[in-house]
Amino acid sequence: MSSSAKSLEPAFQGSGQRVGSEIWRIENFQPVPLPKSDYGRFYSGDSYIVLQTTPGKGGAYFYDIHFWLGKDTSQDEAGTAAIKTVELDAILGGRAVQYREVQGHESDKFLSYFKPCIIPLEGGIASGFKKLEEEEFEIRLYVCRGKRVVRLKQVPFSRSSLNHDDVFILDTKDKIFQFNGANSNIQERAKALEVIQFLKGKYHNGKCDVAIVDDGKLQAESDSGEFWVIFGGFAPIGKKVASEDDVIPEKTPPKLYSIDDGQVNGVDGELSKSSLENNKCYLLDCGADVFIWIGRVTQVEDRKAAIQAAEEFVASQNRPKSTRITRIIQGYETHPFKSNFDSWPSGSAPSAPEEGRGKVAALLKQQGVGVKGVAKGAPVNEEVPPLLEGGGKIEVWHINGSVKTPVPKEDIGKFYSGDCYIILYTYHSNDKKEDYYLCYWIGKDSIEEDQKMAAQLATTMSNSLKGRPILGRIFQGKEPPQFVAIFQPMVVLKGGISSGYKNYIADKGLNDETYTFDCVALIRISGTAVHNNKAVQVDAVGTSLNSNECFLLQSGSSIFSWHGNQCTFEQQQLAAKVAEFLKSSSNQFSGGLT
């Protein structure tokens, strides 16, 4: 694969920063963003990538990535979709669950994103299809199945496609017909009517007629007669013919395989979490479901090879198309995956919070602000997510105008909300050659010019490294655990030191909140582990306090440490570490720690 392909895909820039769906279609082996107006419309000759972003606790996001393969898509396009899915996951921090979706066998989770259903259409980008609005209207016949989520499938426009067991939708230019098979389910009839209303509004501007035709009523009604005329006249319809769509794959006892250099090899012994090594990829075969488990320190190339190996494994077993393939990163395992193991330890929840007060509250009261310490729910302890190998080399550059300036070693880990930074972490993944983690960090108050320059300079750096690192963009407050863990500690302060930021606030007449030792500043210490222990400057008011965390208050030349009565020993240790870090950084002062 070329170097440019391994760099940040322009189509993926800014992805995963808002709740909802984002869709790309594979065109000429590249992902191209799909217009919002086309969401839910999938062509059988194409492959698509669908990212679903959902909100989590503390402002974090959860990601599910699906790559949808049309029944007529080429093998090369399908392979591109699978590989680009891995790259998108890497850009998002390597924590998304990935699903392969085959046309006609989509998971309920995938279908639930589209209301009332997805619209499968014949053709594709390679065949030069025209949009429905541009082409002469073509009569389409769909079979509509599903009681909870709707599965709509386009079938040949022929009387032989009809049967007594299903519900069908005949979409013509001036009227949409719903044909209810005599043995069809009442819930499916209701769902089909929802689909018809959707088709009417989206493709007919709400102006076409709707007719219900019941199987067996022949020509007793005008709508029924019109329906059969479209098919060339009434004639008896046959019984439902079993197809591959009706094959229900069997669930078999789970079997674990390791994936080494693209080869699938069986693993002996009981199924337990301890069987999974963090530098390897594994395949868990459950018959109807196939899971790919990715160790947290595996390289992107190994993850792509694991996807290909799983596809070849399923093909060699002659599994039906409905076989589901799900890819999971270590630390983000789903319940369906973990339920197949004999032992899988889980975390425990901390004790309930209580309200606490301290010396800092008294000092803040002297500043004329409120002092009530608001109790804040403590996060649930979770298993440590996949992190990068420790002991690597970290380099940070600060964006100032059109250049990047190296951040002094004593300041690495300190970020200003008004600035942008480039971070390069170089480490050794097992016995293999050097691996890289490259990203640029965007402060929430940074100016657009600095953001664009950070992206440009980071891309240049990625190219200089022959495209080996996957380049990611990280927004303040949305840092993935891999990012937080490489800084010991990580401190986010208000204000900015770039010339662009200073000129901006001067032009706007705003106050410069840059952290200095000549004003009162309150810093909140949160997190209990290496992957979530951030220190963030907050408003210096009493209501910022809570009993579950520790705080540092800098006043003049002194730093005060305040511990909530429900904070952990690890947080207290981190507070002391942050205080020492601030004392030894470039903002030197002569004072004591209280």
Side-chain angles (χ1 to χ4, degrees), residues 86-149:
V86 176
E87 294 182 10
L88 174 58
D89 173 49
I91 291 169
L92 295 172
R95 59 189 191 274
V97 179
Q98 299 171 36
Y99 307 84
R100 185 188 70 157
E101 306 284 353
V102 178
Q103 181 178 355
H105 307 283
E106 297 87 355
S107 65
D108 287 357
K109 185 181 187 71
F110 177 81
L111 294 175
S112 69
Y113 305 151
F114 307 96
K115 300 298 183 183
C117 64
I118 67 171
I119 307 296
L121 299 170
E122 296 296 322
I125 188 68
S127 61
F129 67 82
K130 294 181 179 180
K131 292 187 176 181
L132 293 180
E133 296 83 357
E134 300 172 352
E135 66 184 7
E136 183 178 349
F137 194 91
E138 174 188 350
I139 295 178
R140 289 184 169 90
L141 181 64
Y142 302 96
V143 60
C144 188
R145 295 169 178 160
K147 301 174 184 178
R148 289 181 299 175
V149 293

